[in-house]
Each structure stands twice: as structure tokens, then as C-alpha cells.
Amino acid sequence: MAELSDNVPTTTDETPLLSVKHLRKAYGDHEVLKDISFDVPRGKVFVLLGPSGSGKSTLIRCLNGLETIQGGTIEFKGKPVSGTEKEWRKLRTEIGMVFQSYDLFPNLTVAQNILLGPTKVQKRAKSEVEPQMDRLLADVQLSEYRNAYPRELSGGQKQRIAIVRALTMNPELMLFDEVTASLDPEMVREVLELMLRLAKEHMTMIVVTHEMEFARRVADTVLFLENGVILERQSGEDFFTHPATDRARSFLESMSPITDDEAK
């Protein structure tokens, strides 16, 4: 099967693709993110875990300029991001993001939705982008829906189209914010399998999810957040087998399936 991503790392550059230093985010007097720092190397998958309200989605939105920050710095490919909307518009062609709400334009076909960004924003020729789009649609087994409208698709199909749309921009970093949260259980698997394939192809990814088994399989690094701080930072394997804090242990226990004894 063909590779989904055209951005498999080809460099030994040790500069982190993304570097976050002492980031702060507040809404008025309420500080949502407090002194957040981490580096994301190329080709690695970071998973953000934590209870609701811990700041995960706010953090990932800050990394795409959808939320302004009140302190700290964000560096992309070794260069500080000034934070202007003009700069973020350019960076969003290199930092793809997929939300739980799909955000497909209902009045456009699948093909029109996918082609819009590369042709209008990146100014690439339609003749260049269409073969890439068709290959990606074939990879996710949705070629037959090329001329369909979003209303004709299931939730899982819409989410896979949203991912294809982002990949067609040739991003160097992909952000996923609870992309399966609004899907029926039967549709979750097909989206997670697509994300696993991207991880195996060494796409640099930051993922917010409540799917613990998926997180365990995909994470190179887990950042566990609570109350706006990184409470724990471990490799995926170590976090799930030997969490370092009582809070992380209780979180994992709360996310595990209910046993027969607990149900009695």
C-alpha cells in the first residue's frame, strides 16, 4: 500500500521541529496553561493526556495560532513564531490540524473541499494536486466518494476526508484534537487505523485523545496534563506500565474498562 504522507523525514537535523518554552495561556484572570515547555523531534508522536479541563485542547490550539498566548515562546523549525495572524496563516500550511467536528464545507464536494487549500492558499496547480488527492483517497478507500457531498458521508468517512484534506497541504506537523470524540463506536476504528499508519510512516504528530489503547500503541512520548501544567512526561510504554505519579495512576484506572467484580 502506498504511503499516506509525502513528508517522511529525510534529514538528520537534530533541531526540534517544534519547541515550546514557558508557554502561558489565560482567559482574564484564569490561567489555563502554566509554564508549559517541551520539544517535539521530527518523526515522533506526542500524545496529550489528562482529565477534562486540564488544558490539552487549549494547548494544541495554541500550537496552530487558534488561541493567543500570554507568555512564553513557540519555535517551529528553529525559528520563533511572532504570533501575528499573517505569520500563522503561512504556518498553517505546514502545521495541519484536524478537529472532532470535521469542518468540511457542506456546499462543496469531497474533491472541492480537499483542493481548496492547496490551490487557493498554497497557489499550487490543480494538475499537481489532483493526482496527490486521488492517491490519498485511494489509500483511505474513499475514491468512490470523490464527487460526493459531506451530507452523503458517515462520520468516520468525513473524518478521514478531513485528514486527507490536511495531508494534501503537505504539512510537516499534524495536530489531532479528539478526532474520534463525536464518532459512533463503529466508526472510531477506521480513523484510528489511519492515524496509526501515519505514525508508522514517521509523520510528526501531536494527538489529544481519550482512546487509551490507541494512545499506548502510537505514543513515543506522553505528556500528562492537569490544571494547566505538565504533571508527567514519559515514553508511551513507561507511562502506561509505570506511571510516576499517583494522579496519573488514578487517571489510567478511571479510563480502564469496568470489570465484572466492579459491576457487582
PDB file of all heavy atoms in Angstrom, residues 192-218:
ATOM      1  N   LEU A 192      -8.751   5.714  13.665  1.00  0.00           N
ATOM      2  CA  LEU A 192      -7.545   5.414  14.436  1.00  0.00           C
ATOM      3  C   LEU A 192      -6.553   4.598  13.614  1.00  0.00           C
ATOM      4  O   LEU A 192      -5.334   4.794  13.734  1.00  0.00           O
ATOM      5  CB  LEU A 192      -7.914   4.672  15.723  1.00  0.00           C
ATOM      6  CG  LEU A 192      -8.762   5.449  16.731  1.00  0.00           C
ATOM      7  CD1 LEU A 192      -8.984   4.625  17.994  1.00  0.00           C
ATOM      8  CD2 LEU A 192      -8.138   6.796  17.081  1.00  0.00           C
ATOM      9  N   GLU A 193      -7.043   3.694  12.785  1.00  0.00           N
ATOM     10  CA  GLU A 193      -6.145   2.916  11.928  1.00  0.00           C
ATOM     11  C   GLU A 193      -5.398   3.829  10.957  1.00  0.00           C
ATOM     12  O   GLU A 193      -4.212   3.623  10.680  1.00  0.00           O
ATOM     13  CB  GLU A 193      -6.935   1.856  11.157  1.00  0.00           C
ATOM     14  CG  GLU A 193      -7.359   0.669  12.017  1.00  0.00           C
ATOM     15  CD  GLU A 193      -8.178  -0.337  11.241  1.00  0.00           C
ATOM     16  OE1 GLU A 193      -8.665  -0.005  10.137  1.00  0.00           O
ATOM     17  OE2 GLU A 193      -8.333  -1.472  11.740  1.00  0.00           O
ATOM     18  N   LEU A 194      -6.083   4.835  10.444  1.00  0.00           N
ATOM     19  CA  LEU A 194      -5.440   5.800   9.554  1.00  0.00           C
ATOM     20  C   LEU A 194      -4.344   6.562  10.295  1.00  0.00           C
ATOM     21  O   LEU A 194      -3.231   6.743   9.773  1.00  0.00           O
ATOM     22  CB  LEU A 194      -6.490   6.759   8.994  1.00  0.00           C
ATOM     23  CG  LEU A 194      -5.995   7.952   8.164  1.00  0.00           C
ATOM     24  CD1 LEU A 194      -5.094   7.489   7.028  1.00  0.00           C
ATOM     25  CD2 LEU A 194      -7.186   8.730   7.625  1.00  0.00           C
ATOM     26  N   MET A 195      -4.620   6.983  11.511  1.00  0.00           N
ATOM     27  CA  MET A 195      -3.615   7.713  12.292  1.00  0.00           C
ATOM     28  C   MET A 195      -2.433   6.820  12.659  1.00  0.00           C
ATOM     29  O   MET A 195      -1.281   7.270  12.689  1.00  0.00           O
ATOM     30  CB  MET A 195      -4.273   8.312  13.535  1.00  0.00           C
ATOM     31  CG  MET A 195      -5.294   9.401  13.201  1.00  0.00           C
ATOM     32  SD  MET A 195      -6.279   9.915  14.625  1.00  0.00           S
ATOM     33  CE  MET A 195      -5.011  10.666  15.651  1.00  0.00           C
ATOM     34  N   LEU A 196      -2.693   5.541  12.927  1.00  0.00           N
ATOM     35  CA  LEU A 196      -1.605   4.606  13.197  1.00  0.00           C
ATOM     36  C   LEU A 196      -0.700   4.456  11.981  1.00  0.00           C
ATOM     37  O   LEU A 196       0.527   4.385  12.108  1.00  0.00           O
ATOM     38  CB  LEU A 196      -2.170   3.240  13.600  1.00  0.00           C
ATOM     39  CG  LEU A 196      -2.614   3.091  15.056  1.00  0.00           C
ATOM     40  CD1 LEU A 196      -3.418   1.807  15.235  1.00  0.00           C
ATOM     41  CD2 LEU A 196      -1.395   3.094  15.988  1.00  0.00           C
ATOM     42  N   ARG A 197      -1.288   4.429  10.801  1.00  0.00           N
ATOM     43  CA  ARG A 197      -0.483   4.340   9.586  1.00  0.00           C
ATOM     44  C   ARG A 197       0.408   5.573   9.438  1.00  0.00           C
ATOM     45  O   ARG A 197       1.575   5.470   9.053  1.00  0.00           O
ATOM     46  CB  ARG A 197      -1.385   4.195   8.364  1.00  0.00           C
ATOM     47  CG  ARG A 197      -1.987   2.812   8.188  1.00  0.00           C
ATOM     48  CD  ARG A 197      -2.829   2.748   6.937  1.00  0.00           C
ATOM     49  NE  ARG A 197      -2.052   3.078   5.746  1.00  0.00           N
ATOM     50  CZ  ARG A 197      -2.602   3.361   4.571  1.00  0.00           C
ATOM     51  NH1 ARG A 197      -3.920   3.386   4.436  1.00  0.00           N
ATOM     52  NH2 ARG A 197      -1.835   3.642   3.537  1.00  0.00           N
ATOM     53  N   LEU A 198      -0.131   6.740   9.736  1.00  0.00           N
ATOM     54  CA  LEU A 198       0.675   7.956   9.674  1.00  0.00           C
ATOM     55  C   LEU A 198       1.844   7.889  10.646  1.00  0.00           C
ATOM     56  O   LEU A 198       2.967   8.303  10.324  1.00  0.00           O
ATOM     57  CB  LEU A 198      -0.197   9.177   9.979  1.00  0.00           C
ATOM     58  CG  LEU A 198      -1.211   9.577   8.912  1.00  0.00           C
ATOM     59  CD1 LEU A 198      -2.122  10.684   9.445  1.00  0.00           C
ATOM     60  CD2 LEU A 198      -0.523  10.027   7.639  1.00  0.00           C
ATOM     61  N   ALA A 199       1.582   7.377  11.851  1.00  0.00           N
ATOM     62  CA  ALA A 199       2.649   7.258  12.847  1.00  0.00           C
ATOM     63  C   ALA A 199       3.739   6.303  12.359  1.00  0.00           C
ATOM     64  O   ALA A 199       4.937   6.571  12.515  1.00  0.00           O
ATOM     65  CB  ALA A 199       2.067   6.769  14.169  1.00  0.00           C
ATOM     66  N   LYS A 200       3.345   5.199  11.740  1.00  0.00           N
ATOM     67  CA  LYS A 200       4.320   4.228  11.239  1.00  0.00           C
ATOM     68  C   LYS A 200       5.146   4.809  10.095  1.00  0.00           C
ATOM     69  O   LYS A 200       6.267   4.362   9.835  1.00  0.00           O
ATOM     70  CB  LYS A 200       3.599   2.960  10.788  1.00  0.00           C
ATOM     71  CG  LYS A 200       3.043   2.138  11.951  1.00  0.00           C
ATOM     72  CD  LYS A 200       2.272   0.923  11.460  1.00  0.00           C
ATOM     73  CE  LYS A 200       1.708   0.129  12.629  1.00  0.00           C
ATOM     74  NZ  LYS A 200       0.890  -1.036  12.179  1.00  0.00           N
ATOM     75  N   GLU A 201       4.580   5.791   9.404  1.00  0.00           N
ATOM     76  CA  GLU A 201       5.312   6.455   8.323  1.00  0.00           C
ATOM     77  C   GLU A 201       6.126   7.650   8.831  1.00  0.00           C
ATOM     78  O   GLU A 201       6.664   8.429   8.049  1.00  0.00           O
ATOM     79  CB  GLU A 201       4.326   6.911   7.238  1.00  0.00           C
ATOM     80  CG  GLU A 201       3.670   5.746   6.512  1.00  0.00           C
ATOM     81  CD  GLU A 201       2.550   6.176   5.591  1.00  0.00           C
ATOM     82  OE1 GLU A 201       2.427   7.395   5.316  1.00  0.00           O
ATOM     83  OE2 GLU A 201       1.786   5.312   5.139  1.00  0.00           O
ATOM     84  N   HIS A 202       6.194   7.784  10.160  1.00  0.00           N
ATOM     85  CA  HIS A 202       7.018   8.799  10.808  1.00  0.00           C
ATOM     86  C   HIS A 202       6.530  10.226  10.561  1.00  0.00           C
ATOM     87  O   HIS A 202       7.332  11.160  10.495  1.00  0.00           O
ATOM     88  CB  HIS A 202       8.487   8.660  10.403  1.00  0.00           C
ATOM     89  CG  HIS A 202       9.052   7.292  10.629  1.00  0.00           C
ATOM     90  ND1 HIS A 202       9.270   6.793  11.898  1.00  0.00           N
ATOM     91  CD2 HIS A 202       9.386   6.311   9.762  1.00  0.00           C
ATOM     92  CE1 HIS A 202       9.742   5.557  11.799  1.00  0.00           C
ATOM     93  NE2 HIS A 202       9.816   5.243  10.521  1.00  0.00           N
ATOM     94  N   MET A 203       5.219  10.385  10.443  1.00  0.00           N
ATOM     95  CA  MET A 203       4.648  11.724  10.444  1.00  0.00           C
ATOM     96  C   MET A 203       4.757  12.290  11.858  1.00  0.00           C
ATOM     97  O   MET A 203       4.387  11.625  12.831  1.00  0.00           O
ATOM     98  CB  MET A 203       3.183  11.679  10.013  1.00  0.00           C
ATOM     99  CG  MET A 203       2.401  12.965  10.251  1.00  0.00           C
ATOM    100  SD  MET A 203       3.013  14.405   9.337  1.00  0.00           S
ATOM    101  CE  MET A 203       2.394  14.054   7.690  1.00  0.00           C
ATOM    102  N   THR A 204       5.274  13.494  11.998  1.00  0.00           N
ATOM    103  CA  THR A 204       5.340  14.147  13.302  1.00  0.00           C
ATOM    104  C   THR A 204       3.926  14.547  13.704  1.00  0.00           C
ATOM    105  O   THR A 204       3.239  15.247  12.960  1.00  0.00           O
ATOM    106  CB  THR A 204       6.246  15.387  13.254  1.00  0.00           C
ATOM    107  OG1 THR A 204       7.479  15.053  12.603  1.00  0.00           O
ATOM    108  CG2 THR A 204       6.544  15.890  14.657  1.00  0.00           C
ATOM    109  N   MET A 205       3.483  14.106  14.880  1.00  0.00           N
ATOM    110  CA  MET A 205       2.102  14.296  15.287  1.00  0.00           C
ATOM    111  C   MET A 205       2.002  14.656  16.768  1.00  0.00           C
ATOM    112  O   MET A 205       2.780  14.176  17.586  1.00  0.00           O
ATOM    113  CB  MET A 205       1.280  13.009  15.041  1.00  0.00           C
ATOM    114  CG  MET A 205       1.176  12.632  13.580  1.00  0.00           C
ATOM    115  SD  MET A 205       0.778  10.870  13.270  1.00  0.00           S
ATOM    116  CE  MET A 205      -0.613  10.594  14.336  1.00  0.00           C
ATOM    117  N   ILE A 206       1.028  15.509  17.092  1.00  0.00           N
ATOM    118  CA  ILE A 206       0.634  15.771  18.473  1.00  0.00           C
ATOM    119  C   ILE A 206      -0.850  15.447  18.547  1.00  0.00           C
ATOM    120  O   ILE A 206      -1.651  15.981  17.773  1.00  0.00           O
ATOM    121  CB  ILE A 206       0.910  17.219  18.900  1.00  0.00           C
ATOM    122  CG1 ILE A 206       2.389  17.550  18.735  1.00  0.00           C
ATOM    123  CG2 ILE A 206       0.476  17.445  20.351  1.00  0.00           C
ATOM    124  CD1 ILE A 206       2.742  19.000  19.063  1.00  0.00           C
ATOM    125  N   VAL A 207      -1.204  14.564  19.466  1.00  0.00           N
ATOM    126  CA  VAL A 207      -2.547  13.997  19.491  1.00  0.00           C
ATOM    127  C   VAL A 207      -3.175  14.179  20.862  1.00  0.00           C
ATOM    128  O   VAL A 207      -2.574  13.812  21.882  1.00  0.00           O
ATOM    129  CB  VAL A 207      -2.502  12.491  19.152  1.00  0.00           C
ATOM    130  CG1 VAL A 207      -3.913  11.897  19.142  1.00  0.00           C
ATOM    131  CG2 VAL A 207      -1.807  12.249  17.817  1.00  0.00           C
ATOM    132  N   VAL A 208      -4.376  14.742  20.885  1.00  0.00           N
ATOM    133  CA  VAL A 208      -5.204  14.748  22.093  1.00  0.00           C
ATOM    134  C   VAL A 208      -6.251  13.657  21.918  1.00  0.00           C
ATOM    135  O   VAL A 208      -6.966  13.638  20.904  1.00  0.00           O
ATOM    136  CB  VAL A 208      -5.908  16.107  22.298  1.00  0.00           C
ATOM    137  CG1 VAL A 208      -6.856  16.043  23.501  1.00  0.00           C
ATOM    138  CG2 VAL A 208      -4.890  17.217  22.500  1.00  0.00           C
ATOM    139  N   THR A 209      -6.320  12.738  22.855  1.00  0.00           N
ATOM    140  CA  THR A 209      -7.261  11.628  22.717  1.00  0.00           C
ATOM    141  C   THR A 209      -7.642  11.073  24.084  1.00  0.00           C
ATOM    142  O   THR A 209      -6.917  11.229  25.062  1.00  0.00           O
ATOM    143  CB  THR A 209      -6.654  10.503  21.853  1.00  0.00           C
ATOM    144  OG1 THR A 209      -7.624   9.476  21.648  1.00  0.00           O
ATOM    145  CG2 THR A 209      -5.424   9.897  22.514  1.00  0.00           C
ATOM    146  N   HIS A 210      -8.819  10.427  24.106  1.00  0.00           N
ATOM    147  CA  HIS A 210      -9.226   9.645  25.273  1.00  0.00           C
ATOM    148  C   HIS A 210      -9.213   8.156  24.963  1.00  0.00           C
ATOM    149  O   HIS A 210      -9.668   7.344  25.773  1.00  0.00           O
ATOM    150  CB  HIS A 210     -10.628  10.071  25.735  1.00  0.00           C
ATOM    151  CG  HIS A 210     -10.623  11.328  26.552  1.00  0.00           C
ATOM    152  ND1 HIS A 210     -11.051  12.538  26.065  1.00  0.00           N
ATOM    153  CD2 HIS A 210     -10.220  11.560  27.828  1.00  0.00           C
ATOM    154  CE1 HIS A 210     -10.917  13.463  27.007  1.00  0.00           C
ATOM    155  NE2 HIS A 210     -10.414  12.895  28.078  1.00  0.00           N
ATOM    156  N   GLU A 211      -8.715   7.792  23.781  1.00  0.00           N
ATOM    157  CA  GLU A 211      -8.624   6.383  23.389  1.00  0.00           C
ATOM    158  C   GLU A 211      -7.305   5.824  23.924  1.00  0.00           C
ATOM    159  O   GLU A 211      -6.251   5.965  23.315  1.00  0.00           O
ATOM    160  CB  GLU A 211      -8.689   6.257  21.863  1.00  0.00           C
ATOM    161  CG  GLU A 211      -9.956   6.803  21.234  1.00  0.00           C
ATOM    162  CD  GLU A 211     -11.146   5.896  21.468  1.00  0.00           C
ATOM    163  OE1 GLU A 211     -10.940   4.712  21.841  1.00  0.00           O
ATOM    164  OE2 GLU A 211     -12.288   6.358  21.281  1.00  0.00           O
ATOM    165  N   MET A 212      -7.364   5.178  25.087  1.00  0.00           N
ATOM    166  CA  MET A 212      -6.143   4.793  25.781  1.00  0.00           C
ATOM    167  C   MET A 212      -5.355   3.707  25.058  1.00  0.00           C
ATOM    168  O   MET A 212      -4.119   3.759  25.006  1.00  0.00           O
ATOM    169  CB  MET A 212      -6.473   4.326  27.206  1.00  0.00           C
ATOM    170  CG  MET A 212      -6.959   5.437  28.129  1.00  0.00           C
ATOM    171  SD  MET A 212      -5.744   6.767  28.374  1.00  0.00           S
ATOM    172  CE  MET A 212      -6.441   8.045  27.333  1.00  0.00           C
ATOM    173  N   GLU A 213      -6.016   2.715  24.501  1.00  0.00           N
ATOM    174  CA  GLU A 213      -5.287   1.653  23.806  1.00  0.00           C
ATOM    175  C   GLU A 213      -4.582   2.211  22.575  1.00  0.00           C
ATOM    176  O   GLU A 213      -3.431   1.868  22.277  1.00  0.00           O
ATOM    177  CB  GLU A 213      -6.235   0.529  23.406  1.00  0.00           C
ATOM    178  CG  GLU A 213      -5.538  -0.661  22.750  1.00  0.00           C
ATOM    179  CD  GLU A 213      -4.435  -1.283  23.602  1.00  0.00           C
ATOM    180  OE1 GLU A 213      -4.561  -1.287  24.851  1.00  0.00           O
ATOM    181  OE2 GLU A 213      -3.431  -1.744  23.013  1.00  0.00           O
ATOM    182  N   PHE A 214      -5.258   3.092  21.865  1.00  0.00           N
ATOM    183  CA  PHE A 214      -4.639   3.756  20.727  1.00  0.00           C
ATOM    184  C   PHE A 214      -3.449   4.595  21.188  1.00  0.00           C
ATOM    185  O   PHE A 214      -2.367   4.548  20.570  1.00  0.00           O
ATOM    186  CB  PHE A 214      -5.665   4.646  20.025  1.00  0.00           C
ATOM    187  CG  PHE A 214      -5.073   5.627  19.057  1.00  0.00           C
ATOM    188  CD1 PHE A 214      -4.577   5.204  17.837  1.00  0.00           C
ATOM    189  CD2 PHE A 214      -5.002   6.984  19.373  1.00  0.00           C
ATOM    190  CE1 PHE A 214      -4.021   6.110  16.938  1.00  0.00           C
ATOM    191  CE2 PHE A 214      -4.455   7.885  18.482  1.00  0.00           C
ATOM    192  CZ  PHE A 214      -3.960   7.448  17.265  1.00  0.00           C
ATOM    193  N   ALA A 215      -3.620   5.356  22.256  1.00  0.00           N
ATOM    194  CA  ALA A 215      -2.528   6.196  22.768  1.00  0.00           C
ATOM    195  C   ALA A 215      -1.316   5.350  23.119  1.00  0.00           C
ATOM    196  O   ALA A 215      -0.172   5.716  22.829  1.00  0.00           O
ATOM    197  CB  ALA A 215      -3.009   6.982  23.985  1.00  0.00           C
ATOM    198  N   ARG A 216      -1.573   4.206  23.722  1.00  0.00           N
ATOM    199  CA  ARG A 216      -0.470   3.325  24.110  1.00  0.00           C
ATOM    200  C   ARG A 216       0.293   2.817  22.886  1.00  0.00           C
ATOM    201  O   ARG A 216       1.515   2.713  22.905  1.00  0.00           O
ATOM    202  CB  ARG A 216      -1.014   2.141  24.922  1.00  0.00           C
ATOM    203  CG  ARG A 216       0.059   1.199  25.438  1.00  0.00           C
ATOM    204  CD  ARG A 216      -0.523   0.224  26.440  1.00  0.00           C
ATOM    205  NE  ARG A 216       0.521  -0.575  27.072  1.00  0.00           N
ATOM    206  CZ  ARG A 216       0.388  -1.185  28.235  1.00  0.00           C
ATOM    207  NH1 ARG A 216      -0.759  -1.084  28.898  1.00  0.00           N
ATOM    208  NH2 ARG A 216       1.373  -1.892  28.741  1.00  0.00           N
ATOM    209  N   ARG A 217      -0.414   2.531  21.820  1.00  0.00           N
ATOM    210  CA  ARG A 217       0.215   1.992  20.610  1.00  0.00           C
ATOM    211  C   ARG A 217       0.978   3.058  19.837  1.00  0.00           C
ATOM    212  O   ARG A 217       1.991   2.767  19.199  1.00  0.00           O
ATOM    213  CB  ARG A 217      -0.847   1.358  19.709  1.00  0.00           C
ATOM    214  CG  ARG A 217      -1.452   0.087  20.244  1.00  0.00           C
ATOM    215  CD  ARG A 217      -2.524  -0.450  19.304  1.00  0.00           C
ATOM    216  NE  ARG A 217      -1.953  -0.838  18.013  1.00  0.00           N
ATOM    217  CZ  ARG A 217      -2.684  -1.228  16.975  1.00  0.00           C
ATOM    218  NH1 ARG A 217      -4.000  -1.275  17.072  1.00  0.00           N
ATOM    219  NH2 ARG A 217      -2.097  -1.564  15.839  1.00  0.00           N
ATOM    220  N   VAL A 218       0.499   4.299  19.886  1.00  0.00           N
ATOM    221  CA  VAL A 218       1.031   5.312  18.975  1.00  0.00           C
ATOM    222  C   VAL A 218       2.059   6.242  19.615  1.00  0.00           C
ATOM    223  O   VAL A 218       2.882   6.829  18.927  1.00  0.00           O
ATOM    224  CB  VAL A 218      -0.136   6.141  18.385  1.00  0.00           C
ATOM    225  CG1 VAL A 218      -0.632   7.192  19.367  1.00  0.00           C
ATOM    226  CG2 VAL A 218       0.238   6.769  17.061  1.00  0.00           C
TER     227      VAL A 218
END
